[in-house]
Every structure is written in structure tokens, then in C-alpha cells.
Amino acid sequence: MPDSVWLIALKSLDDDAKAIKLGEVAELGLAEGQQDFAGDPLRMMLIALEEDSRFPYVVDSGGEAVGVFTLQRGAASLAGWDDDDSVWLLRGFLIDRTRQGRGLGTQAAAAAVREAARLTVRLGGGETGVVLSVNERNPAGQAAYRKAGFEDHGQYLGGDAGPQRTMYRAF
């Protein structure tokens, strides 16, 4: 049976719990070649904690951090979407190199969509789903997102690391 994932909303933690989880995030590592696609996980979480439009999450499995991502409101065009406000942007998604290949990324991506739907209700937004961009040189990432129910919406050439695929999943 594959490991299960839990999402931990960093903004909901007290300072001590947040420090513990951020310490775990600092230990996450990227697989070779992923530096082109993903940024430093700790830096991404710290930036997200400071911005009202971003909601940073730690992906937890077995009681430890195995990945991170951020849901961002009002920024969907950064993934090649037609507008900024109709969907959430899933960004900075990564699973630690030692935990990849176990289905955790697929589970976490699906959980991110469920979390975005809850945020939409809680915050009174009008978003209808989640969009992301994934590098065309990252077939494993594309496959994980497809398994999580995301559909390819075409090529996006706005990324810093070369051509991307815009992918979307409705709530």
C-alpha cells in the first residue's frame, strides 16, 4: 500500500510548529536536473508566508515533510492561463528526491485541488479549479499531474526554464 500524504498549512501553525516544519523543508532535496524546474523549497515557503495571496503547504507522509507547494490566488496567468482570477495557481510543487516514484506527488497534487476548493469556499472566491505549468522536459511531473486528474491545455512559452505544459483540473 502506498504511503499517505497530509497537507499542513504553514500559515495555520504556531511559531514553534512552523519552525519545526520549516527545518524539515530545509532538508528536502531535488533530484538531478530538477534545479531547472523547481526553486529552493525553504525559500519558496518563506516567500509564500509573507504574501497574502499565497498559501504555502508542507506535504507530510509518515510524520515528516516529503514535499511542498503553494496555492496562489490571482496569479494564474503565470502558468499560461487566460486570466488571473478564475482559478488557483499551483506553484513550487516538489517532492523530495528520496521519496519520488511512490505516488506521493500524485496524491499531493489531488489533495492540493481539494484544498483549493476549500479555500475558495472559506475565502468567498469564484475560482473553479487549479492550473499549473510543468516543464516539457519533466515527463515524470506531467505523468503525476495527469494521474491526479489534471488535463493538458497546451504549450506555454513564458517559463524561465523553457517550454511548459499548462495543466488544469476543475474542482
mmCIF file of all heavy atoms in Angstrom, residues 7-11 25 40-59 67-73 75 78 88-94 108-109 112-113 115-116 119 130-133 145 150:
data_model
loop_
_atom_site.group_PDB
_atom_site.id
_atom_site.type_symbol
_atom_site.label_atom_id
_atom_site.label_comp_id
_atom_site.label_asym_id
_atom_site.label_seq_id
_atom_site.Cartn_x
_atom_site.Cartn_y
_atom_site.Cartn_z
ATOM 1 N N LEU A 7 -1.624 17.327 4.129
ATOM 2 C CA LEU A 7 -1.209 18.695 3.837
ATOM 3 C C LEU A 7 -1.198 19.492 5.125
ATOM 4 O O LEU A 7 -2.178 19.482 5.874
ATOM 5 C CB LEU A 7 -2.167 19.345 2.834
ATOM 6 C CG LEU A 7 -2.315 18.647 1.494
ATOM 7 C CD1 LEU A 7 -3.211 19.469 0.579
ATOM 8 C CD2 LEU A 7 -0.980 18.384 0.843
ATOM 9 N N ILE A 8 -0.125 20.191 5.344
ATOM 10 C CA ILE A 8 -0.004 21.043 6.521
ATOM 11 C C ILE A 8 0.094 22.485 6.037
ATOM 12 O O ILE A 8 1.054 22.862 5.360
ATOM 13 C CB ILE A 8 1.231 20.665 7.353
ATOM 14 C CG1 ILE A 8 1.096 19.214 7.835
ATOM 15 C CG2 ILE A 8 1.411 21.637 8.518
ATOM 16 C CD1 ILE A 8 2.326 18.673 8.515
ATOM 17 N N ALA A 9 -0.919 23.265 6.385
ATOM 18 C CA ALA A 9 -0.957 24.680 6.012
ATOM 19 C C ALA A 9 -0.023 25.450 6.936
ATOM 20 O O ALA A 9 -0.303 25.593 8.123
ATOM 21 C CB ALA A 9 -2.379 25.209 6.116
ATOM 22 N N LEU A 10 1.077 25.939 6.389
ATOM 23 C CA LEU A 10 2.068 26.614 7.226
ATOM 24 C C LEU A 10 1.502 27.839 7.931
ATOM 25 O O LEU A 10 1.891 28.138 9.063
ATOM 26 C CB LEU A 10 3.289 27.009 6.400
ATOM 27 C CG LEU A 10 4.279 25.886 6.102
ATOM 28 C CD1 LEU A 10 5.404 26.393 5.220
ATOM 29 C CD2 LEU A 10 4.836 25.297 7.386
ATOM 30 N N LYS A 11 0.601 28.553 7.276
ATOM 31 C CA LYS A 11 0.061 29.767 7.890
ATOM 32 C C LYS A 11 -0.841 29.468 9.088
ATOM 33 O O LYS A 11 -1.147 30.373 9.862
ATOM 34 C CB LYS A 11 -0.691 30.605 6.854
ATOM 35 C CG LYS A 11 0.253 31.291 5.880
ATOM 36 C CD LYS A 11 -0.462 32.242 4.946
ATOM 37 C CE LYS A 11 0.521 32.987 4.065
ATOM 38 N NZ LYS A 11 -0.142 33.927 3.153
ATOM 39 N N VAL A 25 11.615 21.204 5.878
ATOM 40 C CA VAL A 25 11.603 21.664 4.483
ATOM 41 C C VAL A 25 13.020 21.970 4.012
ATOM 42 O O VAL A 25 13.387 21.672 2.871
ATOM 43 C CB VAL A 25 10.675 22.891 4.326
ATOM 44 C CG1 VAL A 25 10.886 23.586 2.987
ATOM 45 C CG2 VAL A 25 9.215 22.485 4.507
ATOM 46 N N ASP A 40 14.419 26.605 -4.590
ATOM 47 C CA ASP A 40 14.746 26.142 -3.249
ATOM 48 C C ASP A 40 13.470 26.066 -2.418
ATOM 49 O O ASP A 40 12.761 27.067 -2.270
ATOM 50 C CB ASP A 40 15.748 27.110 -2.610
ATOM 51 C CG ASP A 40 16.024 26.754 -1.178
ATOM 52 O OD1 ASP A 40 16.751 25.783 -0.943
ATOM 53 O OD2 ASP A 40 15.485 27.455 -0.289
ATOM 54 N N PRO A 41 13.144 24.891 -1.870
ATOM 55 C CA PRO A 41 11.867 24.742 -1.164
ATOM 56 C C PRO A 41 11.718 25.657 0.055
ATOM 57 O O PRO A 41 10.645 26.219 0.274
ATOM 58 C CB PRO A 41 11.826 23.269 -0.768
ATOM 59 C CG PRO A 41 13.163 22.712 -1.048
ATOM 60 C CD PRO A 41 13.879 23.638 -1.961
ATOM 61 N N LEU A 42 12.770 25.829 0.833
ATOM 62 C CA LEU A 42 12.678 26.700 2.007
ATOM 63 C C LEU A 42 12.428 28.140 1.585
ATOM 64 O O LEU A 42 11.547 28.820 2.138
ATOM 65 C CB LEU A 42 13.941 26.598 2.860
ATOM 66 C CG LEU A 42 13.953 27.487 4.104
ATOM 67 C CD1 LEU A 42 12.781 27.157 5.030
ATOM 68 C CD2 LEU A 42 15.281 27.356 4.829
ATOM 69 N N ARG A 43 13.160 28.604 0.605
ATOM 70 C CA ARG A 43 12.971 29.981 0.117
ATOM 71 C C ARG A 43 11.544 30.184 -0.381
ATOM 72 O O ARG A 43 10.915 31.205 -0.096
ATOM 73 C CB ARG A 43 13.980 30.273 -0.994
ATOM 74 C CG ARG A 43 13.923 31.689 -1.506
ATOM 75 C CD ARG A 43 15.042 31.950 -2.533
ATOM 76 N NE ARG A 43 15.000 33.301 -3.005
ATOM 77 C CZ ARG A 43 14.218 33.732 -3.995
ATOM 78 N NH1 ARG A 43 13.409 32.904 -4.610
ATOM 79 N NH2 ARG A 43 14.242 34.994 -4.369
ATOM 80 N N MET A 44 11.005 29.194 -1.125
ATOM 81 C CA MET A 44 9.632 29.316 -1.629
ATOM 82 C C MET A 44 8.623 29.428 -0.488
ATOM 83 O O MET A 44 7.677 30.213 -0.555
ATOM 84 C CB MET A 44 9.289 28.114 -2.522
ATOM 85 C CG MET A 44 10.029 28.120 -3.842
ATOM 86 S SD MET A 44 9.492 26.821 -4.987
ATOM 87 C CE MET A 44 9.878 25.325 -4.091
ATOM 88 N N MET A 45 8.824 28.642 0.561
ATOM 89 C CA MET A 45 7.891 28.675 1.685
ATOM 90 C C MET A 45 7.983 30.001 2.436
ATOM 91 O O MET A 45 6.963 30.572 2.835
ATOM 92 C CB MET A 45 8.146 27.501 2.642
ATOM 93 C CG MET A 45 7.866 26.132 2.060
ATOM 94 S SD MET A 45 6.123 25.830 1.648
ATOM 95 C CE MET A 45 6.092 26.230 -0.108
ATOM 96 N N LEU A 46 9.187 30.499 2.625
ATOM 97 C CA LEU A 46 9.354 31.772 3.331
ATOM 98 C C LEU A 46 8.728 32.929 2.561
ATOM 99 O O LEU A 46 8.087 33.799 3.160
ATOM 100 C CB LEU A 46 10.840 32.030 3.598
ATOM 101 C CG LEU A 46 11.500 31.077 4.592
ATOM 102 C CD1 LEU A 46 13.008 31.315 4.642
ATOM 103 C CD2 LEU A 46 10.872 31.192 5.974
ATOM 104 N N ILE A 47 8.886 32.934 1.252
ATOM 105 C CA ILE A 47 8.257 33.977 0.433
ATOM 106 C C ILE A 47 6.740 33.874 0.538
ATOM 107 O O ILE A 47 6.045 34.874 0.724
ATOM 108 C CB ILE A 47 8.720 33.876 -1.035
ATOM 109 C CG1 ILE A 47 10.184 34.301 -1.157
ATOM 110 C CG2 ILE A 47 7.839 34.717 -1.953
ATOM 111 C CD1 ILE A 47 10.811 33.995 -2.502
ATOM 112 N N ALA A 48 6.224 32.666 0.442
ATOM 113 C CA ALA A 48 4.771 32.461 0.485
ATOM 114 C C ALA A 48 4.176 32.871 1.830
ATOM 115 O O ALA A 48 3.046 33.374 1.882
ATOM 116 C CB ALA A 48 4.431 31.008 0.172
ATOM 117 N N LEU A 49 4.920 32.684 2.899
ATOM 118 C CA LEU A 49 4.417 33.078 4.220
ATOM 119 C C LEU A 49 4.228 34.586 4.333
ATOM 120 O O LEU A 49 3.411 35.051 5.123
ATOM 121 C CB LEU A 49 5.372 32.593 5.317
ATOM 122 C CG LEU A 49 5.277 31.110 5.650
ATOM 123 C CD1 LEU A 49 6.466 30.679 6.504
ATOM 124 C CD2 LEU A 49 3.961 30.803 6.352
ATOM 125 N N GLU A 50 4.958 35.349 3.532
ATOM 126 C CA GLU A 50 4.904 36.808 3.609
ATOM 127 C C GLU A 50 3.848 37.439 2.710
ATOM 128 O O GLU A 50 3.568 38.627 2.844
ATOM 129 C CB GLU A 50 6.282 37.394 3.262
ATOM 130 C CG GLU A 50 7.372 36.995 4.246
ATOM 131 C CD GLU A 50 7.076 37.453 5.662
ATOM 132 O OE1 GLU A 50 6.608 38.597 5.845
ATOM 133 O OE2 GLU A 50 7.311 36.657 6.591
ATOM 134 N N GLU A 51 3.284 36.674 1.790
ATOM 135 C CA GLU A 51 2.331 37.238 0.829
ATOM 136 C C GLU A 51 0.914 36.767 1.112
ATOM 137 O O GLU A 51 0.671 35.569 1.252
ATOM 138 C CB GLU A 51 2.729 36.849 -0.601
ATOM 139 C CG GLU A 51 4.010 37.511 -1.048
ATOM 140 C CD GLU A 51 4.286 37.283 -2.523
ATOM 141 O OE1 GLU A 51 3.336 37.039 -3.291
ATOM 142 O OE2 GLU A 51 5.463 37.358 -2.904
ATOM 143 N N ASP A 52 -0.022 37.715 1.155
ATOM 144 C CA ASP A 52 -1.418 37.375 1.438
ATOM 145 C C ASP A 52 -2.061 36.500 0.372
ATOM 146 O O ASP A 52 -2.961 35.726 0.666
ATOM 147 C CB ASP A 52 -2.256 38.655 1.598
ATOM 148 C CG ASP A 52 -1.913 39.426 2.859
ATOM 149 O OD1 ASP A 52 -1.344 38.825 3.796
ATOM 150 O OD2 ASP A 52 -2.228 40.632 2.908
ATOM 151 N N SER A 53 -1.604 36.600 -0.874
ATOM 152 C CA SER A 53 -2.210 35.837 -1.967
ATOM 153 C C SER A 53 -1.715 34.396 -2.044
ATOM 154 O O SER A 53 -2.252 33.592 -2.790
ATOM 155 C CB SER A 53 -1.945 36.520 -3.311
ATOM 156 O OG SER A 53 -0.558 36.457 -3.633
ATOM 157 N N ARG A 54 -0.674 34.075 -1.276
ATOM 158 C CA ARG A 54 -0.073 32.737 -1.333
ATOM 159 C C ARG A 54 -0.380 31.947 -0.066
ATOM 160 O O ARG A 54 -0.324 32.479 1.037
ATOM 161 C CB ARG A 54 1.438 32.828 -1.513
ATOM 162 C CG ARG A 54 1.860 33.439 -2.827
ATOM 163 C CD ARG A 54 3.353 33.321 -3.003
ATOM 164 N NE ARG A 54 3.818 34.153 -4.106
ATOM 165 C CZ ARG A 54 4.982 33.980 -4.698
ATOM 166 N NH1 ARG A 54 5.808 33.026 -4.300
ATOM 167 N NH2 ARG A 54 5.339 34.773 -5.692
ATOM 168 N N PHE A 55 -0.618 30.650 -0.265
ATOM 169 C CA PHE A 55 -0.927 29.733 0.824
ATOM 170 C C PHE A 55 0.045 28.554 0.722
ATOM 171 O O PHE A 55 -0.153 27.666 -0.104
ATOM 172 C CB PHE A 55 -2.382 29.276 0.747
ATOM 173 C CG PHE A 55 -3.351 30.413 0.920
ATOM 174 C CD1 PHE A 55 -3.675 31.234 -0.155
ATOM 175 C CD2 PHE A 55 -3.898 30.695 2.157
ATOM 176 C CE1 PHE A 55 -4.543 32.304 0.004
ATOM 177 C CE2 PHE A 55 -4.757 31.768 2.324
ATOM 178 C CZ PHE A 55 -5.083 32.575 1.245
ATOM 179 N N PRO A 56 1.100 28.557 1.550
ATOM 180 C CA PRO A 56 2.124 27.512 1.466
ATOM 181 C C PRO A 56 1.743 26.263 2.261
ATOM 182 O O PRO A 56 1.198 26.359 3.366
ATOM 183 C CB PRO A 56 3.350 28.192 2.079
ATOM 184 C CG PRO A 56 2.776 29.156 3.078
ATOM 185 C CD PRO A 56 1.476 29.627 2.477
ATOM 186 N N TYR A 57 2.069 25.113 1.694
ATOM 187 C CA TYR A 57 1.761 23.826 2.314
ATOM 188 C C TYR A 57 2.989 22.941 2.343
ATOM 189 O O TYR A 57 3.767 22.909 1.383
ATOM 190 C CB TYR A 57 0.656 23.095 1.536
ATOM 191 C CG TYR A 57 -0.668 23.780 1.650
ATOM 192 C CD1 TYR A 57 -1.001 24.819 0.793
ATOM 193 C CD2 TYR A 57 -1.578 23.419 2.635
ATOM 194 C CE1 TYR A 57 -2.213 25.474 0.906
ATOM 195 C CE2 TYR A 57 -2.796 24.068 2.757
ATOM 196 C CZ TYR A 57 -3.101 25.098 1.887
ATOM 197 O OH TYR A 57 -4.301 25.749 2.012
ATOM 198 N N VAL A 58 3.103 22.202 3.420
ATOM 199 C CA VAL A 58 4.083 21.130 3.502
ATOM 200 C C VAL A 58 3.326 19.836 3.251
ATOM 201 O O VAL A 58 2.246 19.614 3.811
ATOM 202 C CB VAL A 58 4.762 21.101 4.890
ATOM 203 C CG1 VAL A 58 5.650 19.873 5.037
ATOM 204 C CG2 VAL A 58 5.563 22.367 5.113
ATOM 205 N N VAL A 59 3.879 19.000 2.389
ATOM 206 C CA VAL A 59 3.331 17.670 2.145
ATOM 207 C C VAL A 59 4.016 16.746 3.142
ATOM 208 O O VAL A 59 5.241 16.638 3.161
ATOM 209 C CB VAL A 59 3.609 17.206 0.697
ATOM 210 C CG1 VAL A 59 3.040 15.813 0.468
ATOM 211 C CG2 VAL A 59 3.050 18.210 -0.305
ATOM 212 N N GLY A 67 7.554 17.034 0.891
ATOM 213 C CA GLY A 67 7.397 17.930 -0.238
ATOM 214 C C GLY A 67 6.753 19.240 0.173
ATOM 215 O O GLY A 67 6.403 19.437 1.344
ATOM 216 N N VAL A 68 6.584 20.115 -0.818
ATOM 217 C CA VAL A 68 5.973 21.427 -0.597
ATOM 218 C C VAL A 68 5.231 21.859 -1.852
ATOM 219 O O VAL A 68 5.486 21.356 -2.946
ATOM 220 C CB VAL A 68 7.015 22.515 -0.249
ATOM 221 C CG1 VAL A 68 7.705 22.235 1.068
ATOM 222 C CG2 VAL A 68 8.026 22.689 -1.370
ATOM 223 N N PHE A 69 4.334 22.814 -1.669
ATOM 224 C CA PHE A 69 3.720 23.536 -2.779
ATOM 225 C C PHE A 69 3.047 24.771 -2.222
ATOM 226 O O PHE A 69 2.852 24.906 -1.017
ATOM 227 C CB PHE A 69 2.717 22.679 -3.575
ATOM 228 C CG PHE A 69 1.471 22.315 -2.824
ATOM 229 C CD1 PHE A 69 0.391 23.181 -2.742
ATOM 230 C CD2 PHE A 69 1.372 21.083 -2.209
ATOM 231 C CE1 PHE A 69 -0.757 22.834 -2.053
ATOM 232 C CE2 PHE A 69 0.229 20.724 -1.515
ATOM 233 C CZ PHE A 69 -0.844 21.607 -1.440
ATOM 234 N N THR A 70 2.688 25.663 -3.124
ATOM 235 C CA THR A 70 1.951 26.870 -2.762
ATOM 236 C C THR A 70 0.740 26.987 -3.668
ATOM 237 O O THR A 70 0.829 26.742 -4.867
ATOM 238 C CB THR A 70 2.845 28.121 -2.934
ATOM 239 O OG1 THR A 70 3.956 28.016 -2.035
ATOM 240 C CG2 THR A 70 2.083 29.401 -2.635
ATOM 241 N N LEU A 71 -0.393 27.345 -3.089
ATOM 242 C CA LEU A 71 -1.566 27.750 -3.855
ATOM 243 C C LEU A 71 -1.586 29.268 -3.841
ATOM 244 O O LEU A 71 -1.461 29.882 -2.778
ATOM 245 C CB LEU A 71 -2.849 27.198 -3.229
ATOM 246 C CG LEU A 71 -3.054 25.699 -3.376
ATOM 247 C CD1 LEU A 71 -4.187 25.218 -2.475
ATOM 248 C CD2 LEU A 71 -3.323 25.330 -4.833
ATOM 249 N N GLN A 72 -1.713 29.863 -5.019
ATOM 250 C CA GLN A 72 -1.721 31.319 -5.114
ATOM 251 C C GLN A 72 -2.975 31.789 -5.816
ATOM 252 O O GLN A 72 -3.357 31.269 -6.862
ATOM 253 C CB GLN A 72 -0.485 31.844 -5.838
ATOM 254 C CG GLN A 72 -0.410 33.363 -5.791
ATOM 255 C CD GLN A 72 0.922 33.900 -6.282
ATOM 256 O OE1 GLN A 72 1.805 33.156 -6.689
ATOM 257 N NE2 GLN A 72 1.066 35.211 -6.233
ATOM 258 N N ARG A 73 -3.556 32.806 -5.246
ATOM 259 C CA ARG A 73 -4.765 33.431 -5.790
ATOM 260 C C ARG A 73 -4.364 34.629 -6.644
ATOM 261 O O ARG A 73 -3.439 35.362 -6.318
ATOM 262 C CB ARG A 73 -5.599 33.894 -4.600
ATOM 263 C CG ARG A 73 -6.947 34.388 -4.935
ATOM 264 C CD ARG A 73 -7.689 34.684 -3.651
ATOM 265 N NE ARG A 73 -9.004 34.075 -3.787
ATOM 266 C CZ ARG A 73 -9.955 34.189 -2.912
ATOM 267 N NH1 ARG A 73 -9.755 34.846 -1.800
ATOM 268 N NH2 ARG A 73 -11.125 33.621 -3.118
ATOM 269 N N ALA A 75 -3.060 34.801 -9.766
ATOM 270 C CA ALA A 75 -1.791 34.746 -10.494
ATOM 271 C C ALA A 75 -1.760 33.664 -11.567
ATOM 272 O O ALA A 75 -0.699 33.258 -12.016
ATOM 273 C CB ALA A 75 -0.650 34.516 -9.510
ATOM 274 N N LEU A 78 0.508 33.330 -14.772
ATOM 275 C CA LEU A 78 1.903 32.903 -14.663
ATOM 276 C C LEU A 78 2.110 31.480 -15.171
ATOM 277 O O LEU A 78 3.244 31.058 -15.409
ATOM 278 C CB LEU A 78 2.387 33.000 -13.208
ATOM 279 C CG LEU A 78 2.479 34.402 -12.618
ATOM 280 C CD1 LEU A 78 2.842 34.328 -11.140
ATOM 281 C CD2 LEU A 78 3.476 35.247 -13.387
ATOM 282 N N TRP A 88 -7.017 28.880 -9.197
ATOM 283 C CA TRP A 88 -5.844 28.968 -8.338
ATOM 284 C C TRP A 88 -4.617 28.549 -9.130
ATOM 285 O O TRP A 88 -4.699 27.676 -9.992
ATOM 286 C CB TRP A 88 -5.984 28.029 -7.140
ATOM 287 C CG TRP A 88 -6.972 28.468 -6.128
ATOM 288 C CD1 TRP A 88 -8.306 28.185 -6.093
ATOM 289 C CD2 TRP A 88 -6.710 29.274 -4.985
ATOM 290 N NE1 TRP A 88 -8.883 28.769 -4.999
ATOM 291 C CE2 TRP A 88 -7.923 29.435 -4.300
ATOM 292 C CE3 TRP A 88 -5.562 29.870 -4.471
ATOM 293 C CZ2 TRP A 88 -8.026 30.175 -3.130
ATOM 294 C CZ3 TRP A 88 -5.662 30.602 -3.296
ATOM 295 C CH2 TRP A 88 -6.883 30.757 -2.642
ATOM 296 N N LEU A 89 -3.475 29.104 -8.807
ATOM 297 C CA LEU A 89 -2.199 28.687 -9.371
ATOM 298 C C LEU A 89 -1.514 27.758 -8.375
ATOM 299 O O LEU A 89 -1.329 28.115 -7.215
ATOM 300 C CB LEU A 89 -1.307 29.898 -9.645
ATOM 301 C CG LEU A 89 0.122 29.596 -10.101
ATOM 302 C CD1 LEU A 89 0.129 28.866 -11.439
ATOM 303 C CD2 LEU A 89 0.930 30.885 -10.174
ATOM 304 N N LEU A 90 -1.157 26.566 -8.835
ATOM 305 C CA LEU A 90 -0.348 25.644 -8.042
ATOM 306 C C LEU A 90 1.097 25.865 -8.471
ATOM 307 O O LEU A 90 1.436 25.682 -9.641
ATOM 308 C CB LEU A 90 -0.776 24.194 -8.303
ATOM 309 C CG LEU A 90 0.051 23.097 -7.628
ATOM 310 C CD1 LEU A 90 -0.009 23.223 -6.109
ATOM 311 C CD2 LEU A 90 -0.447 21.727 -8.072
ATOM 312 N N ARG A 91 1.932 26.267 -7.531
ATOM 313 C CA ARG A 91 3.324 26.594 -7.881
ATOM 314 C C ARG A 91 4.278 26.034 -6.842
ATOM 315 O O ARG A 91 3.882 25.728 -5.721
ATOM 316 C CB ARG A 91 3.496 28.097 -8.038
ATOM 317 C CG ARG A 91 3.280 28.900 -6.773
ATOM 318 C CD ARG A 91 3.325 30.385 -6.993
ATOM 319 N NE ARG A 91 4.562 30.782 -7.650
ATOM 320 C CZ ARG A 91 4.811 32.007 -8.071
ATOM 321 N NH1 ARG A 91 3.924 32.965 -7.899
ATOM 322 N NH2 ARG A 91 5.950 32.301 -8.666
ATOM 323 N N GLY A 92 5.544 25.931 -7.258
ATOM 324 C CA GLY A 92 6.578 25.477 -6.328
ATOM 325 C C GLY A 92 6.364 24.067 -5.824
ATOM 326 O O GLY A 92 6.799 23.719 -4.734
ATOM 327 N N PHE A 93 5.732 23.231 -6.629
ATOM 328 C CA PHE A 93 5.412 21.868 -6.208
ATOM 329 C C PHE A 93 6.646 20.985 -6.351
ATOM 330 O O PHE A 93 7.265 20.929 -7.405
ATOM 331 C CB PHE A 93 4.289 21.328 -7.101
ATOM 332 C CG PHE A 93 3.763 19.985 -6.685
ATOM 333 C CD1 PHE A 93 2.639 19.889 -5.905
ATOM 334 C CD2 PHE A 93 4.390 18.822 -7.081
ATOM 335 C CE1 PHE A 93 2.145 18.653 -5.523
ATOM 336 C CE2 PHE A 93 3.919 17.592 -6.703
ATOM 337 C CZ PHE A 93 2.796 17.507 -5.918
ATOM 338 N N LEU A 94 7.007 20.309 -5.273
ATOM 339 C CA LEU A 94 8.091 19.336 -5.370
ATOM 340 C C LEU A 94 7.971 18.287 -4.281
ATOM 341 O O LEU A 94 7.423 18.534 -3.213
ATOM 342 C CB LEU A 94 9.470 20.007 -5.332
ATOM 343 C CG LEU A 94 9.948 20.649 -4.039
ATOM 344 C CD1 LEU A 94 10.711 19.663 -3.177
ATOM 345 C CD2 LEU A 94 10.842 21.814 -4.362
ATOM 346 N N ALA A 108 -0.479 14.215 -3.555
ATOM 347 C CA ALA A 108 -0.374 15.604 -3.091
ATOM 348 C C ALA A 108 -1.024 16.562 -4.074
ATOM 349 O O ALA A 108 -1.681 17.526 -3.664
ATOM 350 C CB ALA A 108 1.084 15.974 -2.848
ATOM 351 N N ALA A 109 -0.869 16.318 -5.380
ATOM 352 C CA ALA A 109 -1.490 17.194 -6.386
ATOM 353 C C ALA A 109 -3.017 17.117 -6.287
ATOM 354 O O ALA A 109 -3.702 18.143 -6.359
ATOM 355 C CB ALA A 109 -1.013 16.822 -7.783
ATOM 356 N N ALA A 112 -4.077 18.976 -3.262
ATOM 357 C CA ALA A 112 -3.972 20.426 -3.467
ATOM 358 C C ALA A 112 -5.241 20.971 -4.110
ATOM 359 O O ALA A 112 -5.705 22.060 -3.755
ATOM 360 C CB ALA A 112 -2.749 20.752 -4.321
ATOM 361 N N VAL A 113 -5.815 20.214 -5.040
ATOM 362 C CA VAL A 113 -7.061 20.651 -5.681
ATOM 363 C C VAL A 113 -8.191 20.687 -4.655
ATOM 364 O O VAL A 113 -8.968 21.647 -4.609
ATOM 365 C CB VAL A 113 -7.409 19.736 -6.874
ATOM 366 C CG1 VAL A 113 -8.784 20.081 -7.439
ATOM 367 C CG2 VAL A 113 -6.346 19.847 -7.957
ATOM 368 N N GLU A 115 -7.882 21.113 -1.475
ATOM 369 C CA GLU A 115 -7.587 22.235 -0.583
ATOM 370 C C GLU A 115 -7.949 23.564 -1.229
ATOM 371 O O GLU A 115 -8.498 24.461 -0.573
ATOM 372 C CB GLU A 115 -6.113 22.211 -0.174
ATOM 373 C CG GLU A 115 -5.747 23.247 0.852
ATOM 374 C CD GLU A 115 -6.442 23.077 2.193
ATOM 375 O OE1 GLU A 115 -6.940 21.977 2.502
ATOM 376 O OE2 GLU A 115 -6.488 24.070 2.951
ATOM 377 N N ALA A 116 -7.669 23.715 -2.515
ATOM 378 C CA ALA A 116 -8.027 24.942 -3.227
ATOM 379 C C ALA A 116 -9.539 25.142 -3.234
ATOM 380 O O ALA A 116 -10.022 26.273 -3.077
ATOM 381 C CB ALA A 116 -7.479 24.911 -4.652
ATOM 382 N N LEU A 119 -10.425 26.432 0.171
ATOM 383 C CA LEU A 119 -10.034 27.842 0.299
ATOM 384 C C LEU A 119 -11.012 28.755 -0.437
ATOM 385 O O LEU A 119 -11.347 29.835 0.055
ATOM 386 C CB LEU A 119 -8.623 28.060 -0.260
ATOM 387 C CG LEU A 119 -7.463 27.633 0.615
ATOM 388 C CD1 LEU A 119 -6.151 27.713 -0.164
ATOM 389 C CD2 LEU A 119 -7.385 28.481 1.880
ATOM 390 N N VAL A 130 -7.814 24.510 -10.495
ATOM 391 C CA VAL A 130 -6.396 24.782 -10.262
ATOM 392 C C VAL A 130 -5.650 24.636 -11.584
ATOM 393 O O VAL A 130 -5.906 23.705 -12.357
ATOM 394 C CB VAL A 130 -5.816 23.790 -9.227
ATOM 395 C CG1 VAL A 130 -4.318 23.982 -9.061
ATOM 396 C CG2 VAL A 130 -6.529 23.938 -7.894
ATOM 397 N N VAL A 131 -4.724 25.546 -11.822
ATOM 398 C CA VAL A 131 -3.872 25.491 -13.005
ATOM 399 C C VAL A 131 -2.413 25.448 -12.552
ATOM 400 O O VAL A 131 -2.075 25.923 -11.469
ATOM 401 C CB VAL A 131 -4.130 26.696 -13.943
ATOM 402 C CG1 VAL A 131 -3.658 27.999 -13.321
ATOM 403 C CG2 VAL A 131 -3.511 26.485 -15.314
ATOM 404 N N LEU A 132 -1.578 24.863 -13.381
ATOM 405 C CA LEU A 132 -0.145 24.817 -13.127
ATOM 406 C C LEU A 132 0.571 24.769 -14.459
ATOM 407 O O LEU A 132 -0.048 24.533 -15.499
ATOM 408 C CB LEU A 132 0.223 23.592 -12.281
ATOM 409 C CG LEU A 132 -0.133 22.226 -12.870
ATOM 410 C CD1 LEU A 132 0.982 21.674 -13.761
ATOM 411 C CD2 LEU A 132 -0.442 21.250 -11.762
ATOM 412 N N SER A 133 1.854 25.007 -14.424
ATOM 413 C CA SER A 133 2.671 24.753 -15.616
ATOM 414 C C SER A 133 3.769 23.795 -15.198
ATOM 415 O O SER A 133 4.298 23.876 -14.093
ATOM 416 C CB SER A 133 3.236 26.042 -16.206
ATOM 417 O OG SER A 133 4.167 26.637 -15.342
ATOM 418 N N TYR A 145 0.790 14.620 -12.609
ATOM 419 C CA TYR A 145 -0.353 15.536 -12.669
ATOM 420 C C TYR A 145 -1.520 14.912 -13.437
ATOM 421 O O TYR A 145 -2.672 15.045 -13.031
ATOM 422 C CB TYR A 145 0.054 16.870 -13.301
ATOM 423 C CG TYR A 145 1.013 17.671 -12.450
ATOM 424 C CD1 TYR A 145 2.195 18.168 -12.997
ATOM 425 C CD2 TYR A 145 0.745 17.951 -11.118
ATOM 426 C CE1 TYR A 145 3.080 18.913 -12.231
ATOM 427 C CE2 TYR A 145 1.622 18.684 -10.344
ATOM 428 C CZ TYR A 145 2.788 19.166 -10.910
ATOM 429 O OH TYR A 145 3.658 19.903 -10.140
ATOM 430 N N PHE A 150 -5.353 16.172 -13.729
ATOM 431 C CA PHE A 150 -5.101 17.396 -14.493
ATOM 432 C C PHE A 150 -5.115 17.078 -15.984
ATOM 433 O O PHE A 150 -4.647 16.015 -16.401
ATOM 434 C CB PHE A 150 -3.749 18.011 -14.105
ATOM 435 C CG PHE A 150 -3.762 18.748 -12.802
ATOM 436 C CD1 PHE A 150 -3.631 18.059 -11.604
ATOM 437 C CD2 PHE A 150 -3.914 20.126 -12.764
ATOM 438 C CE1 PHE A 150 -3.642 18.729 -10.389
ATOM 439 C CE2 PHE A 150 -3.928 20.809 -11.552
ATOM 440 C CZ PHE A 150 -3.789 20.106 -10.360
#
